[in-house]
Amino acid sequence: MNKKPFLALVALAGLSWLVVAPSLAFGQGDTWAGASLAQMVKGARWRLGVLRVNAAFSLSNAGYDSDVFYGFAAKPVPDYTFSAGTAVQILLPLSKKVVLDVFDGPQYMFYLDSKNERAWNNTFRGQVHIALARVYVQLGGGLSNVRYRLSQELNINVRQKQDSLDGLVLWQVSKRASFAFVYGSAKYDLGEAEFGGVRLSDSLNRKEDYFDLITYVEPSPKVRFFVDGQYGSYAFTNVDFRFKDARSYGVFGGIEFTPKTGEQIATVGIEGKLRLGYQRLDVIDSRFVDGLGLTGTADISVSVMKRNAAHAFFSRGFQFSVFSGSSYYLATAYGGGISRLLSKKASLSYDISFERNLYPGSGAPEGFLNRYTTHSFGLKIRLARQLSLGFLATLGKRILNSSGLTRNRNFFGFNLVYGSAGGAISVPGGGLRR
């Protein structure tokens, strides 16, 4: 695994310390991102000297899968499966202004009969948080080596390595207004993954960079409006697939609802984020059609009376295609559901989701214009303060538009979580939907 992002992170951390150390006497920062950082450190589950630690063991998606390949094999392949992992987050406050944040999440994926699908995964991320009086800075990087489902275009397990670097600077101009600059860079490598005798790395290995400039207006501590301008660039590794190289331009607007740490949806009324706008994907090769349209994400929950919450989500964005005849496709997903609090320790939920992919012209081969419909049922029970058990059932249908064929995939199982997986802070974010 490439160690350059980690070494760069260490160098950035050292540089940040040198920059901030002379001004430690100026006191606690008061940006909204800095306040969220303080809450995360304070809310850590365990203390070991100066260290703050969150850790959790999870046994997830343990149960029966009616088709682990969701119709991409000639016949359904049923199997019993589970994923087990331990996530650990370590916070090291170097001062009131500087916090080192390290996360590591090893995981094992098990399949009873499909032995080739078994895998060890790991995700590592390190960040340095710097909270000054009116400026918040975050510098970070990550390494991941994960076997996961590639996309709704090709819903099969593949192994992907990702190296990333990112950073942001937030300037709190006043109590209600702030500006942020966000940068991100990532390299994707699918290794030896194949489908139909074709190496997926040839068509998908790439380097991505994006830049965001964001303006925030915060009329109250729980609501933030924003406008986001973004530029991205995408360079493919294989010289035979450089025709997919592209640039993107986007303008987005939206709103964030940010409850205080520890508040529940039943008490705050509304929670979530909406980010929608127009985006242009400019494919550099003139033989391919450029993409233009509405993209973005929305994920909102609203309390309905005392014990109920309604949930709605939407996502739409450009993704690069595995097929050589098409450089990209437009992926859309939307849906919603409702949950009910049965008691202080139990809740019941139902969600329905719809997904589809759309290609420019006739870029996709026959049989790959997919539509998905999924019904999800869940029962969550808090057995103890740090122990929760969830039973779940998903009923999924995949329809091939061009042929009318239907593929079903159902899952019945449970999740078990012990501990606290780690805190997160409210910070600006960018990047394309991938």
Side-chain angles (χ1 to χ4, degrees):
M1 193 176 290
N2 193 342
K3 295 183 179 180
K4 290 182 179 180
F6 177 74
L7 296 176
L9 171 63
V10 173
L12 289 172
L15 178 60
S16 302
W17 173 255
L18 292 175
V19 171
V20 177
S23 60
L24 292 179
F26 285 100
Q28 185 73 35
D30 57 4
T31 64
W32 54 265
S36 182
L37 172 65
Q39 288 181 347
M40 181 180 71
V41 174
K42 183 180 179 180
R45 188 63 192 163
W46 293 284
R47 296 188 179 190
L48 299 174
V50 297
L51 297 180
R52 304 293 185 267
V53 180
N54 291 302
F57 169 79
S58 63
L59 181 65
S60 57
N61 295 325
Y64 174 77
D65 192 331
S66 67
D67 187 1
V68 297
F69 297 116
Y70 212 150
F72 285 93
K75 296 181 179 179
V77 181
D79 207 345
Y80 292 90
T81 178
F82 70 82
S83 297
T86 303
V88 179
Q89 180 190 38
I90 299 176
L91 302 169
L92 174 58
L94 302 178
S95 72
K96 289 185 177 181
K97 297 183 177 182
V98 182
V99 177
L100 183 62
D101 176 2
V102 178
F103 172 88
D104 193 59
Q107 181 192 59
Y108 180 66
M109 295 173 59
F110 174 81
Y111 292 83
L112 181 62
D113 298 319
S114 306
K115 296 182 180 180
N116 290 336
E117 299 299 304
R118 298 175 185 175
W120 281 100
N121 295 332
N122 193 76
T123 301
F124 169 84
R125 178 163 178 79
Q127 298 177 105
V128 177
H129 308 271
I130 306 169
L132 305 177
R134 289 190 174 272
V135 176
Y136 170 84
V137 180
Q138 183 185 102
L139 303 170
L143 301 169
S144 69
N145 189 335
V146 175
R147 188 167 175 81
Y148 78 117
R149 293 192 177 275
L150 180 62
S151 66
Q152 65 190 67
E153 179 186 49
L154 196 57
N155 202 335
I156 62 172
N157 283 335
V158 299
R159 177 163 294 282
Q160 177 177 274
K161 295 180 181 179
Q162 178 182 340
D163 298 345
S164 62
L165 284 173
D166 53 76
L168 68 90
V169 178
L170 173 75
W171 176 30
Q172 191 82 43
V173 181
S174 67
K175 185 177 180 180
R176 295 188 177 183
S178 57
F179 298 97
F181 170 78
V182 181
Y183 166 72
S185 177
K187 291 182 179 180
Y188 298 90
D189 183 358
L190 272 74
E192 302 299 321
E194 292 187 1
F195 181 75
V198 177
R199 283 169 53 92
L200 299 179
S201 58
D202 290 341
S203 59
L204 290 179
N205 282 10
R206 65 195 183 276
K207 182 178 185 294
E208 300 185 358
D209 295 276
Y210 67 85
F211 304 85
D212 287 77
L213 288 174
I214 311 174
T215 300
Y216 289 91
V217 176
E218 191 172 0
S220 77
K222 295 184 179 181
V223 178
R224 281 193 293 270
F225 295 95
F226 64 89
V227 176
D228 178 0
Q230 182 188 95
Y231 168 79
S233 66
Y234 313 89
F236 285 77
T237 304
N238 191 314
V239 293
D240 295 330
F241 286 79
R242 294 279 174 82
F243 62 84
K244 289 189 175 185
D245 288 359
R247 297 178 292 259
S248 68
Y249 311 87
V251 177
F252 306 89
I255 184 172
E256 298 178 1
F257 301 97
T258 56
K260 295 181 180 179
T261 301
E263 285 188 316
Q264 302 296 321
I265 185 65
T267 60
V268 299
I270 186 167
E271 181 181 4
K273 179 178 180 179
L274 182 148
R275 178 180 183 266
L276 296 176
Y278 274 89
Q279 191 171 36
R280 176 183 177 86
L281 184 66
D282 179 12
V283 183
I284 296 175
D285 194 318
S286 60
R287 294 174 297 174
F288 290 85
V289 179
D290 296 333
L292 176 66
L294 174 71
T295 63
T297 59
D299 194 345
I300 303 292
S301 295
V302 180
S303 62
V304 182
M305 296 181 291
K306 187 176 181 179
R307 291 180 171 267
N308 304 303
H311 171 231
F313 71 90
F314 170 85
S315 67
R316 181 179 173 91
F318 297 105
Q319 295 199 31
F320 291 106
S321 175
V322 302
F323 306 119
S324 59
S326 178
S327 61
Y328 69 90
Y329 64 98
L330 190 60
T332 303
Y334 60 94
I338 190 167
S339 63
R340 178 171 177 80
L341 190 64
L342 302 178
S343 68
K344 291 183 178 181
K345 295 184 177 182
S347 62
L348 185 66
S349 64
Y350 165 75
D351 286 276
I352 183 171
S353 64
F354 305 92
E355 300 179 42
R356 64 172 298 177
N357 48 356
L358 180 65
Y359 295 82
S362 57
E366 285 293 312
F368 280 90
L369 300 178
N370 299 304
R371 290 186 296 166
Y372 296 86
T373 303
T374 305
H375 301 268
S376 301
F377 305 85
L379 173 63
K380 186 175 181 180
I381 304 171
R382 184 164 59 88
L383 302 176
R385 185 176 183 182
Q386 290 290 305
L387 181 63
S388 64
L389 173 65
F391 297 96
L392 63 151
T394 60
L395 309 177
K397 178 186 290 187
R398 170 173 165 249
I399 300 175
L400 310 179
N401 292 354
S402 56
S403 61
L405 293 177
T406 299
R407 298 288 186 266
N408 295 320
R409 177 174 176 263
N410 305 321
F411 181 84
F412 305 92
F414 68 92
N415 297 323
L416 182 69
V417 179
Y418 176 73
S420 174
I425 66 175
S426 176
V427 294
L432 296 183
R433 181 178 186 271
R434 287 184 284 274

